[in-house]
Structure formats: structure tokens, C-alpha cells
């Protein structure tokens, strides 16, 4: 069952970039590429040769793999309600968060290894944003642990909906926060616009300017996997636990697609934040998650 | 008895170091260290196997027989000290080679001699239960460390840092002394820490001892000696200093907590927790601002002392709140972090020292691209950096995970206040982790990645095996703790058992640790498979090399157009400016300046705590002391007058029966 879930999330992950690009194409009146185009791109990249900058070192060649391995393993922790992920233990979400942190650490070094000022900018912004967004995730998980009395993904997500009649509302609020965290972590709008092609204003895209061929393909897969991971977490918060199994899996798939559509909508109709405003925006997320924490305390009769 | 005679023998043989030269001296020193290590570690291991270990040395100090005793806490510290001192001595063999020509033989012998005595002093510090010999050993430790820091005494900043250290340590010493006197004369019965259990002023005595030990440990705001002493000392001494000497302060605090009556654990735990959270978060924030790689690492020591303190404080509060499992996990996390920090911080100092040896600069803005010239050193530094950021699959993650795990498991178990305390711990750990990643991506990238920024790196080459091997050994232990945490936590539980009536973790918790280890193992396996797959793919395709993408501009100078440490820290500085004490000086562009002229930009960071708590009162004191110097007029007539005045005053006072 867990294997099936892992495959489902992997499929969702690979679908999301396609869904986003279709949405954006339709909204801007273009025909757009097919749903599978991002996957074709990745497959093509994986077969290609690479060009390495002479400034780079051995680290540049292996850093994307560490990031990829971290994302692959992190996805294995995501459950669906009471269906555990491939791996689960108490406190697994701490491991999960730090694993993604490890991937990010190496990706930043990957960018800095090129000795390019542009990539330095991107890496620096990425480091700052992921540092600022980290507390929000931990506050949300702490609130969920408080509400459910458990401390692993699967226990929390299988229990929290039964804790009170308001739980599903809390789930949606939590999903909002996690969705925003996902936007920051994946460097999408409103923090970063992947469409901009001015190096000075990019975050994630500029970090991987010098990666090519296989490594770049790996980075593309990792990006989709991260979408899959967060879509999976959103599904956990929103899918009612009492639905029959098949429906729940379908619902999870639907949520992934909707997540992609939402990202597409957002990117079509919203402008990117001013770069200097981003820290404030991200800190607001921590503030909202603190509100989430206090709401949980009220519902759980701690206040 | 044999252990004791071996220790004594090595003490008596230590002056022989002055007679030896060159490599022979190094090997003799190593041999003496090994003798001390074998003798003390065997005793420590026997304690962990459940045997009591105590001996009467038969030596009397101020009429009191010195007794050596080992409990689990002392035994743990003995092992930590031995490992770090061993790697430090091993590493110093290569590190001190360039000094063979610039330093006289006697200086080098003296250095090895004091290093050995520092080792012995620290072992005695954790072994003696009574106050008097403890203070003697403590003082010996401070003095030997002072000499070691002042190794490069021809440099004024080294002497200044060493004196700063010496003065601050003695201020701390006075606090410990007063604390012990308070215990003795307020019902404690003896001049020792165990009197804390009986005295009727335990809180006051504990606070005095806490302040005294906090000087050594470097808790904020008593940390100000640390960022000066660590860069000034030779790198193996910095590693040892950060790895174990500051941990002696933690040892003192842990020793006192054992005897502190349990009813005070709530308030004292809260005190330690608050100070630790401030140390942890502020330590890493200041670290980001540093451009001297060893100063940066020194601020990270403060951060890690904070994490250790969070574990101890949370453990005490957890017990007081009636959550034994939370207390065990927090204590275990804090205590394991002592070992962890001694490992990765010494590793970082050693590899930073290797860079210093090759480039003769600690200023990161002059470095760059060293990963190609020193690939192993870069790898080891990266290992230490990942471990200190608390990332899996390394050891730092395990100790932080234990604290997280306890907090998340109990966040719903109590009332609002408990939830808020635990949330504060979780948040500060998350914040520290994020900031540490920011800081270490900065320092690693600037020092090792990109292209060289100055001529300092021109002659750099990989350091010798005798310097790499001890670092490799530390790296292996770092990985081992990350992969089999259960094995280490099993022994840590015994140490935690001194604080809690039942410190054995329930099986479910130990299973979790095993799963963490397994998950880390799977991660490494996955990575190895991916690397193999990639190497197969790379063999089948064409690989080309070219310059870094420069946005179409090919005339860029790689040394000038890459990110610097200042620019990397800049966006953080803009956020955290109010608490940083940053000073920026630059010449702005004039409106009429059509052709750009040479402009200057400099940014300094002053530690606001140092400025307000050390420099200001120090300067005020100096001001009044200088005023009082009017009496020192240098005229003989005045001094005769002083004598006469004294006699008159004494005479008058005895006449009025005041004396």
C-alpha cells in the first residue's frame, strides 16, 4: 500500500509541472505544450552530455544528486491519512525537514561553486528564504502534534481530523500555510518568478544556470518531486479520512492537479514581490502559523 | 592503583620534553598523551560497565586528602577530553612544523609541555569531587590554556586575547569561589559542590556557580573572551579550546545540577533555558557577520553551548513538570551534543587551521577556490559544516533530534505554559538550524568554492597526512554517531541517570533512534547508487568544459565578479541590523562624478554585548583609576606625607578606640 502511495505521489510530482504550464498557456491564450512535455524534457536532458565550467570542482557534479536523493527519501515519509509512507517513525517530520535542508545546502554550494556573481545572488537569496521559512513549518507541525497528541506524520494525519469538529477547518488553514511554504521552497510566485530571465531578479533558476545535461535533468526532477511532496502534505490536510480508500487516492491526485492549477493561476495573474519585500512576506507566514498554533491551543482547550 | 601511578609517572616524565628536539619531541609527547589516555579511559570505560571507580591518592592539599572519583558524568567527560586532546596533539605534529624554524626549541617544548599539563588538569578537574583540589586543577587548566593561547606572543593581538581570557576566567573563578564558600558557611557542611544539597541557600549558591561556570562555557553575555581567544590561539589549541575547555564550564554546571535540590529545578531550569536560547540564537547571528573564519567558528561555539544549555534547561524543567521521558530526551540531547560539538568543532578548527597554514590568512575575503588545491581539507570542512548545521546523516542531527523529539512528543501533554516553552525550544532550534545553514554555506563557499580572491591562495597545497588523518578519524566518529545513534545514546542514558531516578528510555523511543539511523543509512545507500548511475551515464556522453556563464560578457574577472562574504551576508544584515551593531563606512558617488573614481566600502561588526558589558564598564573603571593616580605624584615629599598621615590616622583611631 505504501509503495502504491509512493508511486502515486511520484506520478503527481511529475504531472504538476505539466499542469502548471498548460494552465498558464490556456490563460494567456496559447495552445501550450502537452501535459507530458516537462517529462520529455527531463528524459532528453538525462541522455545529454554536459558542459562544466572550469571554475567548478567535484562538488558541482555530485551536489544535485544529494539534493535529488534527499527529495526521493523525503517523499517516502509522506503518508495519506492512515496509510503510512514507505518510512515512518516518531518525529519523522524533523528528519524530513532536515533532509530537505541538506539538499538545499548542497544546491547552494552547487551554485556558489561556479564562482558566478549571478549564481551567488540566487544562492544567497535561497539560503535566506529557506532560513526564514523554516520556523513556519515547525510551528505548523508543532500545532498538529499538540492537537493530535502524536509526533509522526502518519499518526498526526490519521488522528487529527477526529480530534474536534473544527479539525477540517484547521486542515484547510494548515493547507494554506503549507501551500505558501511550498511556493517559497519551490521558488515560485510571489517570491520568485520562474519566467523572469533576468539573472539579477531570479532565485532558483539562476542557481542552476551552469548545470547542464544529466545534472540539470536531475535538478528538474527534484523540483517536481518537491511539488509532489508538498502536494502530498496538502492532500493529508484536506482529504477526509472517512472516505473509502479509492476515493482518497483519487482525491489526493485531484488535489495535486488543483495545486498545479492554483500555481498556474497565481503565476498568470500576479506579479512577483519586490525582492526586498520577500523577507517580510515570508516572516508573515511564520506569524500566520503562530496564529494557527494559538487557534489550535484554543480548540484543544489549552487556553 | 595502577592507573594512578601511570598518571603520576607521566606527570613526572613530562619535563623530559624539554630535552628532546623535533620529531622525537612530538612522538614523546604523543606517547605521554597516549599513556594518560589509556590510563584514564580504561577507568572511564569500567565506570560505564557498571563498576564504581574511586581512589585515594594519598596526596594532601591544604590538609585535605585528594580523592579521585569517577561517576558516569566524569567518565563521559574523560572520554570526550581524551578523544579531542588526542586528535589535537596528533594534528599539531603537522601544524607546528612551519614554526620549527621561527620558534626556539624551548618554546616548542614548553608548548607541548603545557598542552600535556592541560590534558592532565582537565582530567583531574572532572575527577575530583572536593572543592579545593577542584579549584587548583581548574586554575591549572586556565593557566595552561592561557599559555597555549599566547603561543604566538610576538603578536600583540595574541597577548591581548590571552590576557583578556585570563582576566575573565579569574572573574569567573571568583564567582565559583564565593559560591563554594557560601555552600560551606551556609549549612552545606563542606567546601564542595555536594554541599549544594544540604545548604539552606542553594539558589544563591547555584546562581553564583552558574555565573562562574558560564564564563568558561561562554554563555552570552559572558562570552566576550571567546571570539578573541579562539582566533589568536594556534588551530589545534582553538580546536581543543572550543571542543573541550569551554565544555568544562558545562561540566561544572552539570555537576552542580546533580546536587541542586529538585524543588528548584523549575526556576533554575528556566534560567538556563532562557540564557541558552539567547546564546544559541545570538551566537549564530553574530557568526554570520564574521569574516575571520576562526572568529566565526568561535561564535558558533557560543551557539552550540546554547544548544547544550537548551537540552539541560529543558531537561530540568521537564523533570519539574513531571515528564520523565521529556527530561531524559532533553538531557540526553544536551549531553550528546557535548560530544558532538567537541567532534565537529575540533574538525572545523583543524581544517580551518590547515587553510591558515597554507594561505597565512584567516580573512575569508582573501580566499576562494581552495577546493581544487586542498580537496581533502575541503571535504572534511564540509563534513564538519554539515554536522554542525544538524543535518542528517551526521551526529549533530541526532542530538538536536533528541530535543526536538522530546518537545514534539510532549507539546500536547501539558497546559498552555508548557506548550509555549516547548514551542520556544522548537522554534529556537529551527531558527538556529536555518541560520547555521546560512552561515556555513557562506563560509564554505567563500573559502573553498569559486575562484581565488587574492594571491594568498597561490601557494596553497593539500596538507600532510599527519594533519588529515586525525580529522578523518573525527569524521568517522561523526558518521558513526549519525548511523548508530542508539549505541551512543545507551551510554548517554547512564549519564542522564545521575539526574533522573529512571533515565532509561522506553523501547519505542530507542526504536525511533534506530529508525533514524536506518533512514540515514538508506539515504547514503541511495546516494551511492545515484552516483554510480551517474558515472555510467557520464561515460556514455560527451563532456565539455568552458567558462562560467557570464550573461554574455566574457571579459569578467572571476576574482572580482563573484560573491563575497560581505555581499552574501548583506541581505541578512539588512534584516537584523538593529541587533547587530554594524558600522558601514563608504564614499558615496557624487552627483557630478561621471567617470567613476576609486571608492571605498568597509563594514565592521562590533559585538554590542562586548561593547556594553565589558568595554564600557572597563573604560569607566579605568577612568576612575586614572583619576586616583593623582596620589602617585612621584615626589618623595608627598610619599613621606602619606606615611605621616597614615600614622596620625592610626594613632587617632587607636586613641578613639576605633581600632
Amino acid at each position: 500500500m505504501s509503495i502504491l502511495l509512493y508511486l502515486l505521489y511520484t506520478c503527481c510530482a511529475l504531472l504538476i509541472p505539466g499542469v502548471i504550464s498548460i494552465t498558464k498557456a490556456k490563460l494567456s491564450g496559447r495552445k501550450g505544450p502537452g501535459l507530458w512535455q516537462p517529462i520529455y524534457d527531463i528524459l532528453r536532458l538525462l541522455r545529454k552530455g554536459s558542459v562544466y565550467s572550469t571554475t567548478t570542482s567535484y562538488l558541482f557534479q555530485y551536489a544535485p544528486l544529494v539534493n535529488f536523493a534527499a527529495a526521493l527519501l523525503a517523499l517516502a515519509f509522506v503518508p495519506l491519512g492512515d496509510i503510512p509512507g514507505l518510512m515512518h517513525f516518531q518525529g519523522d517530520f524533523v528528519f524530513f525537514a532536515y533532509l530537505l535542508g541538506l539538499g538545499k545546502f548542497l544546491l547552494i554550494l552547487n551554485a556558489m561553486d561556479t564562482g558566478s556573481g549571478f549564481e551567488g545572488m540566487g544562492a544567497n537569496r535561497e539560503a535566506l528564504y529557506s532560513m526564514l521559512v523554516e520556523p513556519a513549518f515547525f510551528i505548523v507541525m508543532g500545532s498538529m502534534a499538540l492537537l493530535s497528541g502524536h509526533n509522526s506524520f502518519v499518526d498526526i494525519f490519521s488522528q487529527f481530523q477526529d480530534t474536534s469538529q473544527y479539525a477540517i477547518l484547521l486542515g484547510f488553514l494548515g493547507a494554506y500555510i503549507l501551500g505558501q511554504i511550498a511556493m517559497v521552497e519551490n521558488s515560485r510566485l510571489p517570491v520568485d518568478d520562474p519566467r523572469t530571465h533576468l539573472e539579477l531578479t531570479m532565485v532558483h533558476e539562476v542557481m542552476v544556470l551552469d548545470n547542464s545535461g544529466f545534472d540539470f535533468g536531475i535538478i528538474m526532477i527534484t523540483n517536481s518531486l518537491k511539488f509532489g511532496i508538498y502536494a502530498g502534505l496538502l492532500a493529508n490536510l484536506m482529504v477526509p479520512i472517512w472516505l473509502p480508500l479509492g476515493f482518497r487516492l483519487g482525491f489526493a491526485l485531484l488535489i495535486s492537479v488543483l495545486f498545479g492549477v492554483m500555481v498556474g493561476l497565481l503565476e498568470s495573474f500576479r506579479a512577483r514581490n519586490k525582492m526586498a519585500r520577500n523577507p517580510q512576506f515570508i516572516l508573515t507566514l511564520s506569524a500566520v502559523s503562530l496564529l494557527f498554533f494559538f487557534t489550535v491551543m484554543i480548540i484543544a482547550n489549552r487556553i | 592503583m595502577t592507573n594512578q601511578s601511570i598518571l603520576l609517572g607521566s606527570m613526572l616524565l613530562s619535563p623530559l620534553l624539554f630535552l628532546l628536539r623535533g620529531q622525537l619531541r612530538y612522538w614523546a609527547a604523543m606517547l605521554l598523551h597516549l599513556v594518560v589516555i589509556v590510563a584514564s579511559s580504561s577507568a572511564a570505560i569500567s565506570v560505564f560497565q557498571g563498576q564504581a571507580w574511586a581512589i585515594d591518592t594519598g596526596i594532601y592539599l591544604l590538609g585535605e586528602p585528594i580523592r579521585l572519583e569517577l561517576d558516569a558524568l566524569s567518565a563521559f567527560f574523560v572520554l570526550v577530553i581524551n578523544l579531542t586532546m588526542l586528535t589535537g596533539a596528533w594534528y599539531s605534529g603537522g601544524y607546528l612544523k612551519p614554526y620549527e624554524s621561527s620558534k626556539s626549541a624551548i618554546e616548542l617544548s614548553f608548548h607541548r609541555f603545557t598542552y600535556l599539563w592541560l590534558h592532565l588538569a582537565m582530567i583531574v578537574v572532572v575527577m575530583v569531587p572536593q572543592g579545593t583540589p577542584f579549584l587548583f586543577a581548574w586554575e591549572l587548566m586556565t593557566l595552561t590554556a592561557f599559555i597555549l593561547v599566547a603561543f604566538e606572543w610576538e603578536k600583540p593581538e595574541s597577548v591581548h586575547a590571552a590576557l583578556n581570557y585570563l582576566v575573565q576566567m579569574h572573574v569567573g573563578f571568583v564567582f565559583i569561589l564565593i559560591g563554594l564558600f557560601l555552600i560551606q558557611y551556609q549549612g552545606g557542611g563542606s567546601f564542595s559542590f555536594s554541599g549544594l544539597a544540604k545548604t539552606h541557600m542553594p539558589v544563591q549558591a547555584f546562581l553564583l556557580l552558574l555565573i562562574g561556570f558560564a564564563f568558561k562555557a561562554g554563555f552570552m553575555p559572558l562570552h566576550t573572551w571567546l571570539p578573541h581567544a579562539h582566533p589568536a590561539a594556534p588551530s589545534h589549541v582553538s580546536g581543543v579550546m572550543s571542543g573541550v575547555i569551554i565544555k568544562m564550564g558545562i561540566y561544572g554546571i552539570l555537576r552542580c545540577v546533580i546536587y541542586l535540590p529538585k524543588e528548584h529545578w523549575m526556576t533554575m531550569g528556566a534560567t538556563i533555558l532562557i540564557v541558552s536560547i539567547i546564546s544559541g540564537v545570538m551566537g549564530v547571528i553574530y557568526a554570520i557577520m564574521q569574516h575571520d573564519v576562526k572568529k566565526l567558528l568561535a561564535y558558533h561555539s557560543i551557539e552550540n553551548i546554547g544548544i547544550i544549555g537548551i537540552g539541560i534547561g529543558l531537561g530540568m524543567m521537564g523533570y519539574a513538570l513531571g515528564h520523565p521521558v521529556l527530561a531524559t530526551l532533553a538531557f540526553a540531547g544536551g549531553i550528546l551534543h557535548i560530544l558532538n560539538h567537541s567532534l565537529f568543532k575540533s574538525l572545523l578548527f583543524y581544517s580551518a587551521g590547515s587553510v591558515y597554514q597554507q594561505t597565512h590568512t584567516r580573512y575569508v575575503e582573501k580566499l576562494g577556490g581552495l577546493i581544487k588545491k586542498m580537496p581533502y581539507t575541503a571535504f572534511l570542512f564540509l563534513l564538519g559544516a554539515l554536522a554542525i548545521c544538524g543535518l542528517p546523516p551526521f551526529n549533530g542531527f541526532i542530538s538536536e533530534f533528541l530535543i526536538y523529539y522530546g518537545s514534539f512528543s510532549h507539546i500536547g501533554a501539558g497546559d498552555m505554559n508548557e506548550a509555549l516553552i516547548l514551542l520556544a525550544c522548537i522554534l529556537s532550534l529551527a531558527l538556529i538550524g536555518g541560520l547555521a545553514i546560512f552561515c556555513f554555506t557562506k563560509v564554505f563557499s567563500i573559502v573553498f568554492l569559486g575562484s581565488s580572491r587574492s594571491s594568498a591562495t597561490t601557494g596553497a597545497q593539500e596538507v600532510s597526512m599527519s594533519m588529515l588523518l586525525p580529522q578523518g578519524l573525527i569524521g568517522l566518529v561523526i558518521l558513526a554517531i549519525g548511523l548508530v545513534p542508539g549505541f551512543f545514546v545507551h551510554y548517554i542514558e547512564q549519564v542522564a541517570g545521575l539526574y533522573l531516578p529512571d533515565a532509561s528510555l522506553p523501547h519505542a523511543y530507542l526504536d525511533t533512534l534506530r529508525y533514524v539511523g536506518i533512514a540515514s543509512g538508506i539515504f547514503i545507500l541511495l546516494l551511492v547508487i545515484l552516483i554510480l548511475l551517474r558515472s555510467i551515464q557520464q561515460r556514455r556522453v560527451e563532456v565539455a568544459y568552458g567558462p562560467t556563464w557570464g550573461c554574455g560578457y566574457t571579459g569578467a574577472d572571476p576574482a572580482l565578479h563573484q560573491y563575497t562574504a560581505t555581499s552574501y551576508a548583506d541581505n541578512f544584515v539588512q534584516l537584523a541590523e538593529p541587533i547587530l551593531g554594524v558600522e558601514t563606512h563608504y564614499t558615496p558617488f557624487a552627483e557630478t562624478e561621471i567617470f567613476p573614481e576609486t571608492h571605498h566600502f568597509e563594514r565592521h561588526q562590533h559585538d554590542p554585548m562586548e561593547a556594553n558589558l565589558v568595554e564600557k564598564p572597563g573604560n569607566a573603571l579605568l577612568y576612575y583609576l586614572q583619576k586616583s593616580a593623582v596620589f602617585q605624584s612621584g615626589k618623595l615629599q608627598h610619599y613621606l606625607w602619606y606615611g605621616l598621615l597614615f600614622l596620625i590616622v592610626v594613632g587617632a583611631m587607636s586613641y578613639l578606640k576605633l581600632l
Side-chain angles (χ1 to χ4, degrees):
Chain A
M1 202 66 229
S2 300
I3 298 175
L4 191 69
L5 189 66
Y6 190 79
L7 289 177
L8 175 78
Y9 282 144
T10 319
C11 291
C12 293
L14 294 174
L15 270 178
I16 290 173
V19 173
I20 295 174
S21 61
I22 287 181
T23 315
K24 281 159 80 172
K26 295 285 176 230
L27 286 170
S28 56
R30 286 181 287 122
K31 188 158 167 271
L35 183 60
W36 306 107
Q37 191 56 45
I39 299 172
Y40 295 145
D41 288 346
I42 289 171
L43 288 177
R44 184 169 46 89
L45 280 169
L46 289 182
R47 284 195 304 269
K48 283 178 82 169
S50 308
V51 183
Y52 293 111
S53 159
T54 43
T55 319
T56 59
S57 65
Y58 61 84
L59 202 132
F60 187 75
Q61 315 210 359
Y62 300 114
L65 288 182
V66 179
N67 194 19
F68 180 50
L72 271 182
L73 193 59
L75 189 62
F77 284 99
V78 184
L80 182 62
D82 53 358
I83 313 165
L86 276 179
M87 295 185 64
H88 61 99
F89 48 81
Q90 292 180 9
D92 52 3
F93 51 84
V94 180
F95 191 85
F96 165 88
Y98 273 69
L99 200 57
L100 290 178
L102 175 71
K104 190 152 281 179
F105 192 109
L106 267 293
L107 198 65
I108 292 168
L109 294 191
N110 169 78
M112 295 299 285
D113 201 12
T114 59
S116 144
F118 300 127
E119 298 192 34
M121 267 175 225
N124 174 231
R125 288 170 188 155
E126 179 100 353
L128 184 75
Y129 298 161
S130 51
M131 173 198 93
L132 291 174
V133 81
E134 197 147 355
F137 176 78
F138 278 98
I139 298 174
V140 170
M141 289 321 292
S143 317
M144 302 298 277
L146 196 157
L147 187 66
S148 63
H150 290 280
N151 55 8
S152 74
F153 268 143
V154 61
D155 290 341
I156 286 175
F157 289 136
S158 60
Q159 303 286 328
F160 94 97
Q161 290 185 1
D162 298 332
T163 51
S164 87
Q165 51 187 332
Y166 305 113
I168 197 76
L169 286 178
L170 277 179
F172 276 88
L173 183 55
Y176 170 77
I177 300 171
L178 275 185
Q180 295 284 1
I181 293 175
M183 301 303 264
V184 179
E185 291 277 338
N186 291 315
S187 298
R188 307 299 287 216
L189 274 175
V191 170
D192 179 24
D193 188 352
R195 278 174 313 178
T196 45
H197 285 291
L198 175 64
E199 285 86 343
L200 292 173
T201 59
M202 291 149 76
V203 181
H204 181 79
E205 307 315 295
V206 79
M207 286 174 71
V208 296
L209 273 182
D210 267 274
N211 293 84
S212 55
F214 184 82
D215 298 341
F216 191 57
I218 289 288
I219 289 171
M220 299 296 279
I221 305 177
T222 315
N223 286 350
S224 333
L225 277 179
K226 277 193 168 174
F227 267 121
I229 289 168
Y230 283 98
L233 290 181
L234 293 185
N236 273 297
L237 284 163
M238 294 196 281
V239 177
I241 191 107
W242 41 262
L243 282 178
L245 184 68
F247 279 97
R248 269 159 52 197
L249 292 178
F251 209 150
L253 187 66
L254 182 68
I255 283 178
S256 309
V257 173
L258 281 178
F259 183 48
V261 173
M262 283 296 288
V263 175
L265 278 171
L266 202 66
E267 298 197 344
S268 302
F269 292 113
R270 216 194 134 157
R272 189 175 56 75
N273 281 352
K274 222 169 113 184
M275 208 45 106
R277 291 280 172 209
N278 274 336
Q280 281 177 11
F281 173 79
I282 300 170
L283 284 175
T284 318
L285 272 184
S286 293
V288 175
S289 56
L290 268 181
L291 282 181
F292 182 68
F293 181 76
F294 289 119
T295 316
V296 165
M297 287 230 280
I298 291 168
I299 287 179
N301 286 323
R302 294 304 199 287
I303 293 183
Chain B
M1 220 33 220
T2 48
N3 286 346
Q4 180 205 354
S5 41
I6 292 172
L7 281 178
L8 266 179
S10 64
M11 286 184 195
L12 292 175
L13 283 174
S14 59
L16 280 179
L17 288 175
F18 285 100
L19 301 177
L20 301 170
R21 293 285 173 269
Q23 280 301 93
L24 203 59
R25 178 175 50 209
Y26 168 65
W27 288 112
M30 278 302 277
L31 189 70
L32 287 176
H33 278 291
L34 279 176
V35 167
V36 174
I37 286 166
V38 169
S40 55
S41 300
S42 62
I45 288 166
S46 73
V47 168
F48 276 120
Q49 284 163 349
Q51 297 161 14
W53 189 93
I55 47 170
D56 281 311
T57 53
I59 304 170
Y60 283 77
L61 187 71
L62 302 180
E64 212 180 342
I66 299 177
R67 205 177 135 71
L68 295 181
E69 243 179 55
L70 275 179
D71 57 5
L73 180 67
S74 315
F76 170 72
F77 270 93
V78 164
L79 294 177
V80 172
I81 292 167
N82 282 343
L83 183 59
T84 311
M85 292 306 281
L86 174 72
T87 53
W90 191 355
Y91 173 83
S92 73
Y95 185 76
L96 288 179
K97 270 226 176 88
Y99 292 95
E100 297 270 349
S101 51
S102 63
K103 289 266 172 196
S104 70
I106 201 93
E107 279 173 305
L108 289 168
S109 297
F110 191 51
H111 183 76
R112 294 237 178 272
F113 178 76
T114 31
Y115 188 84
L116 180 69
W117 274 87
L118 172 68
H119 189 175
L120 287 167
M122 282 197 288
I123 298 241
V124 176
V125 162
V126 298
M127 276 187 177
V128 286
Q130 311 108 303
T132 320
F134 175 87
L135 288 180
F136 267 86
W138 186 264
E139 186 58 22
L140 181 63
M141 174 177 82
T142 302
L143 288 178
T144 45
F146 163 72
I147 295 165
L148 291 173
V149 172
F151 176 62
E152 293 182 76
W153 54 269
E154 65 277 1
K155 291 185 186 166
E157 70 265 23
S158 278
V159 178
H160 181 260
L163 284 175
N164 188 348
Y165 165 75
L166 194 69
V167 171
Q168 297 217 27
M169 283 311 103
H170 284 95
V171 177
F173 186 85
V174 171
F175 277 98
I176 301 172
L177 196 65
I178 299 174
L180 282 169
F181 274 127
L182 197 67
I183 289 171
Q184 187 177 14
Y185 293 111
Q186 294 295 332
S190 63
F191 190 70
S192 68
F193 302 116
S194 56
L196 209 55
K198 285 178 277 175
T199 170
H200 47 261
M201 292 174 93
V203 173
Q204 292 85 336
F206 181 78
L207 281 177
L208 283 168
L209 292 170
L210 185 65
I211 293 171
F213 288 125
F215 267 102
K216 191 63 125 193
F219 277 106
M220 282 205 179
L222 307 175
H223 67 283
T224 51
W225 62 272
L226 238 137
H228 297 291
H230 283 37
S235 295
H236 59 286
V237 177
S238 319
V240 163
M241 212 163 183
S242 183
V244 286
I245 296 180
I246 62 169
K247 303 296 161 37
M248 291 293 110
I250 297 288
Y251 167 78
I253 293 170
L254 279 171
R255 176 59 66 196
C256 295
V257 170
I258 293 183
Y259 303 115
L260 183 71
K262 296 271 198 288
E263 67 259 29
H264 302 300
W265 275 29
M266 187 68 203
T267 48
M268 291 299 104
T271 312
I272 296 179
L273 188 66
I274 291 168
V275 172
S276 304
I277 288 179
I278 294 171
S279 302
V281 177
M282 295 305 285
V284 64
I285 286 178
Y286 289 157
I288 291 177
M289 295 305 304
Q290 305 308 320
H291 298 322
D292 174 337
V293 59
K294 281 170 83 179
K295 202 165 183 178
L296 178 142
L297 292 176
Y299 273 108
H300 271 287
S301 298
I302 299 165
E303 169 225 318
N304 280 281
I305 286 291
I307 295 177
I308 295 168
I310 289 175
I312 297 169
L314 188 62
M316 291 169 74
M317 292 181 86
Y319 179 82
L321 291 168
H323 301 304
V325 175
L326 170 62
T328 312
L329 285 170
F331 267 122
I335 294 168
L336 183 62
H337 204 74
I338 297 172
L339 170 64
N340 287 345
H341 180 244
S342 78
L343 291 167
F344 48 64
K345 189 47 72 66
S346 53
L347 175 59
L348 286 168
F349 267 118
Y350 299 160
S351 41
S354 304
V355 170
Y356 176 66
Q357 191 198 39
Q358 292 301 317
T359 60
H360 308 288
T361 180
R362 296 190 307 260
Y363 187 53
V364 290
E365 307 279 37
K366 290 199 166 156
L367 302 170
L370 282 173
I371 193 170
K372 285 183 222 69
K373 289 172 175 164
M374 308 171 77
Y376 298 113
T377 301
F379 181 76
L380 289 163
F381 191 93
L382 179 62
L383 191 74
L386 291 172
I388 200 173
C389 291
L391 296 170
F394 303 108
N395 63 351
F397 177 72
I398 303 299
S399 40
E400 289 188 28
F401 178 77
L402 286 169
I403 301 175
Y404 270 125
Y405 186 24
S407 306
F408 277 117
S409 307
H410 293 82
I411 197 166
D415 60 2
M416 180 183 81
N417 293 333
E418 288 182 45
L420 286 178
I421 292 165
L422 294 174
L423 186 74
C425 290
I426 291 168
L427 266 185
S428 45
L429 280 182
L431 201 58
I432 291 171
L435 288 163
I437 290 179
F438 187 86
C439 189
F440 274 97
T441 47
K442 174 193 116 172
V443 67
F444 185 82
S445 324
I446 305 299
V447 174
F448 290 103
L449 303 180
S451 337
S452 170
R453 289 178 178 76
S454 79
S455 57
T457 61
T458 317
Q461 49 184 331
E462 189 54 89
V463 293
S464 65
M465 264 312 180
S466 68
M467 287 166 82
L468 288 174
L469 281 178
Q471 299 179 52
L473 175 72
I474 299 173
L476 284 180
V477 183
I478 283 176
L479 200 59
I481 297 178
L483 290 179
V484 273
F487 174 79
F488 294 89
V489 171
H490 172 67
Y491 293 102
I492 302 294
E493 273 180 1
Q494 291 191 28
V495 185
L498 294 173
Y499 299 90
L500 309 162
D502 179 26
S504 52
L505 286 171
H507 273 293
Y509 290 83
L510 290 175
D511 283 344
T512 301
L513 281 177
R514 214 178 60 237
Y515 292 137
V516 171
I518 292 172
S520 300
I522 290 176
F523 175 73
I524 293 177
L525 198 68
L526 198 61
L527 193 58
V528 171
I529 293 171
L530 286 173
I531 288 174
L532 285 177
L533 285 177
R534 183 182 182 280
S535 69
I536 293 170
Q537 194 271 351
Q538 289 280 294
R539 237 176 283 153
R540 288 163 51 186
V541 296
E542 209 171 307
V543 175
Y545 295 89
T548 297
W549 167 244
C551 203
Y553 177 56
T554 50
D557 177 357
L560 285 179
H561 292 85
Q562 54 184 343
Y563 246 47
T564 61
T566 311
S567 46
Y568 199 96
D570 187 63
N571 59 9
F572 178 75
V573 173
Q574 286 170 11
L575 272 185
E577 203 155 15
I579 48 170
L580 279 176
V582 179
E583 265 180 51
T584 311
H585 303 283
Y586 62 100
T587 44
F589 283 95
E591 264 179 47
T592 52
E593 190 178 327
I594 298 165
F595 299 105
E597 292 159 11
T598 313
H599 283 260
H600 295 282
F601 177 91
E602 49 183 304
R603 172 175 276 167
H604 302 282
Q605 195 257 330
H606 301 288
D607 189 331
M609 294 198 195
E610 183 173 12
N612 292 318
L613 293 167
V614 179
E615 281 168 12
K616 263 192 196 162
N619 288 342
L621 188 67
L622 215 60
Y623 176 76
Y624 288 109
L625 287 178
Q626 276 168 351
K627 289 260 168 185
S628 69
V630 294
F631 295 110
Q632 197 186 5
S633 58
K635 286 187 179 139
L636 190 62
Q637 296 92 320
H638 290 176
Y639 295 147
L640 287 172
W641 261 108
Y642 297 156
L644 189 62
L645 271 176
F646 176 74
L647 287 177
I648 291 170
V649 168
V650 169
M653 282 173 86
S654 49
Y655 181 71
L656 296 168
K657 298 216 164 58
L658 286 171
L659 272 177

